[in-house]
Amino acid sequence: MGKIKKIGVLTSGGDSPGMNAAIRAVVRAGIFNGLEVYGIRHGYKGLVNNHIKRLKSYSVSNIIQRGGTILKTARCKDFLTKEGRKQAYNNIKENELDAIIVIGGDGTFTGATVFAKEYNIPIIGLPGTIDNDLYGTDFTIGYDTALNTVIEAVDKIRDTASAHNRLFFVEVMGRDAGFIALRSAISCGAEAVLIPEIETHAEDLLDYLEDGFTRKKSSGIIIVAEGDQSGGAFEIAKKIEKDFINYDVRVTILGHIQRGGSPTAFDRVTASTLGVAAVKALLGGEKNIMVGLQNNSVAYVPLEKAIKHHKTIKKSLLDLVKVLNI
Ligand code: F6P
């Protein structure tokens, strides 16, 4: 591999709070180390369509506190095709980029892995997704902020649930993973949590709710991950409502509110740490890895491993929900 002088950075897939802090860290660490840094707009779409522009230190001023991504993001269909990736590679060559840093989740890293197999271009991944579902990092950039958004909303729902003696089913994001649901359930003292990783039995939930009612629980919150096998909050609420007349049932879908907002201190520090580490990894000759956090230290994980291995739900956290809801 030749000496790295110019690098590109992009954000791809669903945005997450802290992506801007990560871009800022990559740009500033790159410049600090004597590199030229280029911003690629709209994720892989910008690579395919040659939307690539030099970033200076001032280009990333005043963004550490902002949600979204100044580089914009997209889920790019063209990059799924061989022709699209060829075009992307031609643009990398035309702009003389020696390496790229991609910030995103599962889909972003899948694209990066395919691309790295076809073309010899070093790629470093930074875990940017609210889902926290990437193997090899304890936390992804944006997860903590999303959790805090959920907590703030559910605390408010708890007030009205209690005032009306109602049972609320609150649906949170997580198409394939229950990480947001599980930690928010613990943080909000939810009565139960339904996640894709664990089979949902409506009858068990009913028994549990009946039991709570006899112990004079007058209201409740059930957190449902959007990918739960029950089909989501509306579906499970319908089933429960039919047989459980003790509570007035309501459903709230939190939706994309979870993706926005100013990143928490934790996400800003994580994004800054990992952004700087990504540049350091490139300069150290690393390629096709994700830079993540393990036990509070920076860790390198092959991109392929980050997407192929499943991050598992901590059983001890699930047990917490049970123990704390007697
Ligand atoms: O992957 C992040 C995520 O927010 C998931 O939790 C959610 O299922 C999905 O993106 C929603 O995607 P979109 O914004 O394309 O509707």
Side-chain angles (χ1 to χ4, degrees):
M1 200 181 350
K3 198 167 171 318
I4 290 186
K5 294 194 205 86
K6 287 188 185 185
I7 62 171
V9 57
L10 62 80
T11 48
S12 155
D15 62 330
S16 69
M19 276 184 162
N20 278 327
I23 296 167
R24 172 178 177 269
V26 167
V27 171
R28 297 242 163 121
I31 294 170
F32 182 86
N33 285 287
L35 307 180
E36 283 181 22
V37 186
Y38 288 76
I40 301 158
R41 298 200 23 111
H42 300 283
Y44 293 124
K45 219 182 196 176
L47 261 192
V48 176
N49 297 321
N50 207 11
H51 292 156
I52 300 173
K53 223 177 102 194
R54 176 105 182 249
L55 296 173
K56 298 286 189 61
S57 185
Y58 61 77
S59 319
V60 291
S61 293
N62 242 324
I63 65 166
I64 193 169
Q65 75 281 18
R66 282 168 55 193
T69 154
I70 58 157
L71 291 176
K72 311 272 184 176
T73 184
R75 303 190 198 272
C76 174
K77 291 222 173 69
D78 288 341
F79 201 68
L80 298 175
T81 67
K82 256 188 173 315
E83 301 73 46
R85 291 192 294 275
K86 172 116 190 47
Q87 191 57 43
Y89 184 70
N90 291 344
N91 290 330
I92 286 177
K93 286 283 118 189
E94 190 185 313
N95 288 278
E96 298 174 329
L97 299 181
D98 302 310
I100 53 173
I101 294 178
V102 299
I103 308 168
D106 203 65
T108 306
F109 292 177
T110 304
T113 310
V114 176
F115 195 52
K117 275 192 184 138
E118 291 172 346
Y119 300 100
N120 186 23
I121 172 92
I123 304 180
I124 304 286
L126 287 181
T129 163
I130 63 164
D131 292 340
N132 200 33
D133 57 348
L134 288 167
Y135 179 88
T137 187
D138 296 340
F139 298 104
T140 56
I141 299 162
Y143 175 57
D144 186 63
T145 308
L147 272 180
N148 280 289
T149 301
V150 171
I151 290 165
E152 201 187 329
V154 174
D155 287 350
K156 288 177 181 163
I157 292 170
R158 176 74 83 179
D159 289 342
T160 177
S162 161
H164 284 265
N165 286 355
R166 280 175 171 160
L167 175 67
F168 269 82
F169 286 82
V170 181
E171 186 175 297
V172 299
M173 276 190 168
R175 215 176 359 210
D176 309 305
F179 296 99
I180 296 179
L182 185 52
R183 278 198 188 238
S184 58
I186 293 168
S187 313
C188 299
E191 275 55 41
V193 59
L194 309 181
I195 55 175
E197 293 85 347
I198 308 280
E199 208 175 325
T200 298
H201 297 289
E203 316 78 54
D204 295 347
L205 182 59
L206 253 176
D207 288 348
Y208 171 75
L209 290 170
E210 297 278 7
D211 187 49
F213 190 78
T214 53
R215 284 182 289 111
K216 305 215 177 336
K217 275 205 177 212
S218 56
S219 65
I221 302 278
I222 314 288
I223 303 280
V224 186
E226 67 175 321
D228 177 64
Q229 298 154 15
S230 61
F234 274 111
E235 286 305 311
I236 188 76
K238 239 191 276 161
K239 279 188 207 145
I240 298 294
E241 199 171 24
K242 193 162 48 70
D243 297 314
F244 190 56
I245 45 162
N246 293 316
Y247 286 122
D248 197 10
V249 171
R250 291 289 185 278
V251 174
T252 304
I253 312 279
L254 292 185
H256 285 78
I257 191 173
Q258 295 160 89
R259 286 245 293 266
S262 182
T264 57
F266 184 84
D267 276 330
R268 294 182 199 196
V269 174
T270 303
S272 302
T273 306
L274 297 184
V276 172
V279 172
K280 193 170 160 208
L282 267 182
L283 294 174
E286 297 289 341
K287 58 178 187 171
N288 310 334
I289 53 153
M290 174 186 81
V291 176
L293 264 192
Q294 289 176 15
N295 302 322
N296 223 4
S297 298
V298 170
Y300 298 163
V301 187
L303 276 175
E304 206 151 20
K305 212 166 169 189
I307 48 173
K308 281 225 175 106
H309 287 240
H310 273 292
K311 184 163 174 180
T312 46
I313 284 285
K314 273 207 176 101
K315 175 146 184 323
S316 56
L317 291 183
L318 264 177
D319 291 344
L320 271 188
V321 181
K322 270 194 207 128
V323 172
L324 296 175
N325 278 303
I326 47 168

Coordinates of all heavy atoms in Angstrom, one line a residue, residues 14-15 75 129-131 173-175 180 226 256 259, ligand 1:
G14 N -29.2 4.7 7.8 CA -30.0 5.6 8.7 C -29.1 6.5 9.5 O -28.1 6.1 10.0
D15 N -29.4 7.8 9.6 CA -28.5 8.7 10.3 C -28.6 8.4 11.8 O -29.5 7.7 12.3 CB -28.9 10.2 10.1 CG -30.3 10.5 10.5 OD1 -31.2 9.6 10.5 OD2 -30.6 11.6 10.9
R75 N -29.7 5.4 1.3 CA -29.5 4.0 1.1 C -29.4 3.9 -0.4 O -30.4 4.1 -1.1 CB -30.7 3.2 1.7 CG -30.9 3.5 3.2 CD -32.0 2.6 3.8 NE -32.5 3.0 5.1 CZ -32.0 2.8 6.3 NH1 -30.9 2.1 6.4 NH2 -32.6 3.2 7.4
T129 N -25.0 4.0 14.2 CA -26.4 3.5 14.1 C -27.0 3.6 15.4 O -26.4 3.3 16.4 CB -26.5 2.1 13.5 OG1 -27.9 1.6 13.8 CG2 -25.5 1.1 14.1
I130 N -28.3 3.9 15.5 CA -29.0 4.0 16.8 C -29.2 2.6 17.3 O -29.5 2.4 18.5 CB -30.3 4.8 16.8 CG1 -31.3 4.1 15.9 CG2 -30.0 6.2 16.4 CD1 -32.8 4.7 16.1
D131 N -29.2 1.6 16.4 CA -29.6 0.2 16.8 C -28.7 -0.6 17.7 O -29.1 -1.5 18.4 CB -29.8 -0.6 15.5 CG -31.0 -0.2 14.7 OD1 -31.8 0.5 15.3 OD2 -31.0 -0.5 13.5
M173 N -37.6 1.8 17.9 CA -37.0 1.3 16.7 C -36.2 0.1 17.0 O -35.8 -0.2 18.1 CB -36.1 2.4 16.1 CG -36.9 3.3 15.2 SD -35.9 4.4 14.2 CE -37.1 5.0 13.0
G174 N -35.8 -0.6 15.9 CA -35.1 -1.9 16.1 C -35.7 -2.9 15.2 O -36.5 -3.7 15.7
R175 N -35.5 -2.8 13.9 CA -36.1 -3.7 12.9 C -35.7 -5.2 13.2 O -36.5 -6.1 13.1 CB -35.5 -3.3 11.6 CG -36.4 -3.5 10.4 CD -35.9 -2.9 9.2 NE -34.5 -2.3 9.2 CZ -34.2 -1.4 8.4 NH1 -35.0 -0.9 7.5 NH2 -32.9 -0.9 8.4
I180 N -32.3 -1.2 21.8 CA -33.0 0.0 22.3 C -34.1 -0.4 23.2 O -34.3 0.2 24.3 CB -33.5 0.8 21.1 CG1 -32.4 1.3 20.2 CG2 -34.3 2.0 21.6 CD1 -32.8 2.1 19.0
E226 N -39.8 -2.6 17.3 CA -40.5 -2.7 16.0 C -40.4 -4.0 15.3 O -41.4 -4.5 14.6 CB -40.2 -1.5 15.1 CG -38.8 -1.6 14.5 CD -38.5 -0.6 13.4 OE1 -39.3 -0.3 12.6 OE2 -37.4 -0.1 13.4
H256 N -39.3 8.1 14.1 CA -38.0 8.7 13.8 C -37.6 9.8 14.7 O -36.4 10.3 14.6 CB -38.1 9.3 12.3 CG -38.0 8.2 11.3 ND1 -39.1 7.4 11.0 CD2 -37.0 7.8 10.6 CE1 -38.7 6.5 10.1 NE2 -37.4 6.7 9.8
R259 N -34.2 9.1 16.0 CA -33.0 9.3 15.2 C -32.4 10.7 15.2 O -31.2 10.9 14.8 CB -33.3 8.9 13.7 CG -33.5 7.4 13.5 CD -32.4 6.8 12.6 NE -32.5 7.3 11.3 CZ -33.2 6.7 10.3 NH1 -33.8 5.6 10.6 NH2 -33.2 7.2 9.2
Ligands
F6P1 O1 -31.1 1.1 11.3 C1 -31.6 2.3 11.9 C2 -33.1 2.3 11.8 O2 -33.5 3.5 12.5 C3 -33.9 1.1 12.3 O3 -34.0 1.0 13.7 C4 -35.2 1.3 11.6 O4 -35.9 0.1 11.5 C5 -34.8 1.9 10.3 O5 -33.6 2.5 10.5 C6 -35.8 2.8 9.7 O6 -35.3 3.2 8.4 P1 -35.9 4.3 7.5 O7 -35.4 5.6 8.1 O8 -35.3 4.1 6.2 O9 -37.4 4.2 7.6

